[in-house]
Amino acid sequence: MKKLVVLTGAGISAESGLKTFRDSDGLWEGYNIEDVATPEAWQRNPALVQQFYNERRKNVMDAKPNAAHYALAKLEAKYDVTIITQNIDDLHERAGSTNVVHLHGIITRSQSSVNPELTYPIDGWEIGMNEVCELGSPLRAHVVWFGEAVPMIETAARICGRAEIFMLIGSSLAVYPAAGLIGYVNRDVPRYVIDPKIPDINVRGPVIKIQEKATVGVVALVNELLNEQ
């Protein structure tokens, strides 16, 4: 099986009703990023940050995978597929994809506020302010905030370096270090870019641009790739 690597961004989840991470006005669900998505915000007002992610988690649990998520899962029938996602939802897994790397964590788990390697499943959609990890420190969302390290980035770079086909879906390539992953793909590997607004891509080698929303462009491309095998 050919190694097919997919990098997904907020655009694929937007069609399931989840707001993109940062809207054109710089806000996320009406909040300044600095107030809800940084370690400093947690230090200043942990109750606000906890409430914000509890609400986002409820939104994720209410959302459903869309046609693009399901199409990517179908690729596993004929390809060795790894999905690298910038998204913190679990829609890829719920659609049936079995090999998903979450660059920025996954909101359906909690983590220790002193050791990010200690993570736990969440019962329901809320983390209470009185809930603590085994070290006694408060639990928070298992999400990488601005100013924190991205622990899976080196793993993702190695995966991209082994790709024989690469797909970029619904990402503006604006958030680093994730935006640099396409540069690790070997220059002779075809790169498919699917988005209504194709981002600027400065790489050598073939780039096939599909200027469509994910539910249209991904479904068409997946059908084409499956018919080739």
Side-chain angles (χ1 to χ4, degrees):
M1 284 187 172
K2 277 190 173 181
K3 179 69 177 172
L4 196 157
V5 177
V6 185
L7 175 61
T8 64
I12 194 170
S13 295
E15 291 191 73
S16 289
L18 298 178
K19 285 284 188 74
T20 54
F21 180 73
R22 190 196 293 264
D23 287 331
S24 57
D25 56 8
L27 302 178
W28 184 15
E29 295 283 1
Y31 290 84
N32 285 309
I33 301 297
E34 295 76 14
D35 293 334
V36 292
T38 65
E40 293 77 16
W42 176 255
Q43 293 296 322
R44 284 194 308 268
N45 194 342
L48 172 66
V49 175
Q50 196 81 287
Q51 176 190 347
F52 177 81
Y53 284 99
N54 283 343
E55 291 171 356
R56 303 291 76 71
R57 188 176 302 107
K58 188 175 189 303
N59 291 347
V60 165
M61 293 174 71
D62 289 342
K64 292 179 171 57
N66 61 52
H69 295 106
Y70 285 114
L72 292 176
K74 289 180 183 176
L75 282 170
E76 294 188 15
K78 295 186 177 180
Y79 292 88
D80 175 8
V81 182
T82 302
I83 295 176
I84 303 167
T85 186
Q86 297 172 259
N87 302 330
I88 58 175
D89 59 66
D90 62 347
L91 296 181
H92 285 301
E93 288 91 342
R94 282 159 55 192
S97 290
T98 61
N99 193 9
V100 185
V101 175
H102 283 268
L103 285 177
H104 299 143
I106 185 165
I107 200 169
T108 53
R109 294 186 71 82
S110 64
Q111 74 177 53
S112 164
S113 54
V114 295
N115 183 351
E117 294 184 7
L118 295 176
T119 74
Y120 310 88
I122 300 170
D123 184 15
W125 58 273
E126 289 184 284
I127 303 174
M129 291 304 297
N130 60 340
E131 294 184 56
V132 297
C133 72
E134 60 210 65
L135 302 177
S137 88
L139 291 176
R140 48 163 273 199
H142 180 44
V143 172
V144 176
W145 290 331
F146 282 94
E148 293 185 321
V150 181
M152 296 302 293
I153 195 67
E154 291 182 4
T155 298
R158 287 195 296 271
I159 293 167
C160 289
R162 297 196 296 268
E164 295 174 277
I165 301 172
F166 181 83
M167 296 168 60
L168 174 69
I169 304 166
S171 176
S172 61
L173 296 182
V175 177
Y176 282 85
L181 287 173
I182 193 170
Y184 288 91
V185 180
N186 291 323
R187 67 174 63 181
D188 59 338
V189 169
R191 302 170 182 85
Y192 295 91
V193 181
I194 304 164
D195 199 280
K197 297 179 181 177
I198 302 292
D200 291 332
I201 299 173
N202 185 21
V203 296
R204 295 180 179 178
V207 176
I208 301 100
K209 300 176 181 178
I210 302 173
Q211 197 164 352
E212 297 280 2
K213 60 184 182 180
T215 51
V216 175
V218 173
V219 170
L221 177 58
V222 166
N223 287 336
E224 181 183 319
L225 291 172
L226 289 175
N227 287 334
E228 288 178 0
Q229 293 297 306

